[in-house]
Amino acid sequence: SLLVAYVFLSGISLALRGRNRNLESEENLSNLSNLRNLASKENVRPTYDMSCPLAMIEYIHVGQKIPEAARYSVQSGAQSVITEALESDALTDRKIIMIGDSNMRQVFSSLSCIAHTAGFWKDDNAYTAGTVPGYYPGMYYDARLNLKGGLGEVFYSPTAGNIQNYGWTRDTPLQGNEDWLQNCRDRKPFYLDTYTYDAPNVGQTYSENDDRFEKVLLGGKDVVFINAGLHLNARDQNMVHLLELVDCMKAFKHDGEDPGWPQIFYVRSNQQHFNNADEGGAFPINRNGPTTCLESVDIEKNSFFRQDKATFQGKLPMVGFDLDLGGVGKLHIGMGGRLDCSHWAMPGVPDAYAREIAAAILTIGLED
């Protein structure tokens, strides 16, 4: 693949690591130094850092409570559960597809980077990421990771199967030609349009005749983890599309006409802590007002959480719904030009989501 370097106009210096890496800003380097000092005193070692090729500088060691986020990551047990899933046969020859907005991207990054720390990548170049020039260095919409020893692959593909969109306008994720709902109606297998491992780590416009892309066949061993996202202009329609797909698959499976479709799990929506306690922190009343996120909210008041359960309980296996995230508001990014009480400092809460996905994969492995 081509080596890619970005020049970040705000003064962040960049360097190439592998095919596409970036150095931390001075602020992040300071945060990293503080975190390492804490680690030496309290035996709290970050589960991953920017040495992971799929880590993102906009999240790693960024936030108001970085040491606390790192401690949460360690105490979550994510590294142990993910390592157990990787050491078992649960992932062998299996493709894991993660579909969702930028919160799901954080979970994909967490899972990938913990696997990197544990030495389960095929090698440091065994990935492709469709990064977005002109944004945070190394920020990507689509990504693909090859694990070692036949352990399979992990994909982050926000628009896989043409099931979801998020109203993103500035830059868009890879838009392939696959249509899982139509494939279901036609009783045909599902495919994933994605980048090849030889593609440059820069987002491209999809074309079937371009050797930077390939169609990946999905089968009965493969697993899709999906969330409808938190973008109000698209979330309800995403849910409608997913329900249509689930009902179609169920009907044809009942009639014995399943050509080998992947399994689908629904992942609990991200927990926000904006200054709206009456809605469980789900909606920002005024993002330019408070300078910190609410430390604690009642998750049962969160409309996204309630909608998830009402829509998919009994329809799909659910992942992450036992997570108690009401009291971890201080672990969000928080500060910045706009208050961010949606994304998380990393390592941190996304590792708990990644742990839940790994636990689900382990369960599938036991059932095979």
Side-chain angles (χ1 to χ4, degrees), residues 297-316:
V297 296
D298 183 350
I299 63 173
E300 294 297 336
K301 292 182 178 179
N302 185 290
S303 58
F304 297 134
F305 183 73
R306 296 198 311 269
Q307 185 183 25
D308 283 348
K309 291 197 294 184
T311 304
F312 295 111
Q313 203 159 38
K315 290 271 190 179
L316 286 173

Side-chain angles (χ1 to χ4, degrees), residues 74-321:
V74 171
Q75 293 175 348
S76 74
Q79 189 162 11
S80 296
V81 176
I82 292 169
T83 300
E84 183 180 354
L86 291 165
E87 288 178 341
S88 72
D89 291 330
L91 270 164
T92 301
D93 297 324
R94 208 184 289 276
K95 292 180 279 294
I96 305 300
I97 299 91
M98 301 173 66
I99 304 175
D101 60 16
S102 54
N103 296 121
M104 184 66 87
R105 180 175 59 210
Q106 284 200 291
V107 180
F108 166 83
S109 177
S110 166
L111 182 64
S112 300
C113 289
I114 290 175
H116 182 263
T117 299
F120 283 95
W121 284 31
K122 184 179 179 181
D123 56 61
D124 269 1
N125 285 332
Y127 75 99
T128 303
T131 60
V132 183
Y135 202 57
Y136 287 99
M139 194 281 281
Y140 50 84
Y141 275 119
D142 297 81
R144 177 181 188 180
L145 169 63
N146 198 2
L147 299 170
K148 71 176 185 180
L151 285 177
E153 296 181 87
V154 186
F155 299 81
Y156 171 61
S157 181
T159 58
N162 196 28
I163 300 300
Q164 300 200 155
N165 75 83
Y166 311 94
W168 291 331
T169 56
R170 176 181 173 183
D171 298 289
T172 58
L174 185 66
Q175 299 281 348
N177 292 336
E178 79 269 33
D179 187 332
W180 292 354
L181 183 55
Q182 189 59 52
N183 287 0
C184 179
R185 291 166 178 162
D186 295 338
R187 284 79 134 186
K188 293 181 178 179
F190 294 173
Y191 287 84
L192 176 66
D193 291 328
T194 188
Y195 296 104
T196 67
Y197 285 110
D198 292 327
N201 285 329
V202 180
Q204 309 287 337
T205 300
Y206 178 79
S207 171
E208 285 194 357
N209 300 317
D210 191 325
D211 61 9
R212 293 173 295 184
F213 306 101
E214 69 172 298
K215 284 186 175 294
V216 175
L217 174 66
L218 304 180
K221 283 195 66 174
D222 302 326
V223 190
V224 173
F225 291 95
I226 189 169
N227 174 265
L230 302 183
H231 297 258
L232 296 180
N233 58 344
R235 177 179 166 88
D236 288 349
Q237 194 61 43
N238 288 346
M239 288 188 152
V240 169
H241 288 163
L242 180 54
L243 279 174
E244 287 184 75
L245 178 65
V246 170
D247 290 342
C248 177
M249 293 171 66
K250 182 178 179 180
F252 287 124
K253 284 183 178 182
H254 181 269
D255 295 337
E257 298 184 70
D258 173 4
W261 291 317
Q263 303 172 70
I264 299 179
F265 286 69
Y266 189 80
V267 180
R268 170 243 181 101
S269 290
N270 183 49
Q271 178 63 53
Q272 299 173 314
H273 289 79
F274 285 107
N275 59 316
N276 191 357
D278 291 341
E279 289 287 343
F283 299 104
I285 294 176
N286 178 9
R287 292 181 70 169
N288 296 317
T291 57
T292 59
C293 306
L294 296 177
E295 286 202 15
S296 182
V297 296
D298 183 350
I299 63 173
E300 294 297 336
K301 292 182 178 179
N302 185 290
S303 58
F304 297 134
F305 183 73
R306 296 198 311 269
Q307 185 183 25
D308 283 348
K309 291 197 294 184
T311 304
F312 295 111
Q313 203 159 38
K315 290 271 190 179
L316 286 173
M318 314 279 271
V319 175
F321 282 80

Side-chain angles (χ1 to χ4, degrees), residues 13-40:
S13 61
L14 307 179
L16 249 50
R17 299 179 187 171
R19 291 181 301 156
N20 174 35
R21 305 305 304 130
N22 19 265
L23 286 175
E24 294 87 343
S25 64
E26 291 183 6
E27 179 184 2
N28 281 1
L29 287 171
S30 175
N31 289 336
L32 181 57
S33 175
N34 291 338
L35 186 60
R36 285 171 176 160
N37 289 337
L38 177 88
S40 64

Side-chain angles (χ1 to χ4, degrees), residues 31 34-39 42 44-46 61 63-74 331 345 347-348:
N31 289 336
N34 291 338
L35 186 60
R36 285 171 176 160
N37 289 337
L38 177 88
E42 301 187 23
V44 177
R45 298 186 179 278
H61 311 310
Q64 295 176 314
K65 300 289 183 178
I66 298 167
E68 289 87 344
R71 186 180 300 110
Y72 181 94
S73 170
V74 171
L331 305 185

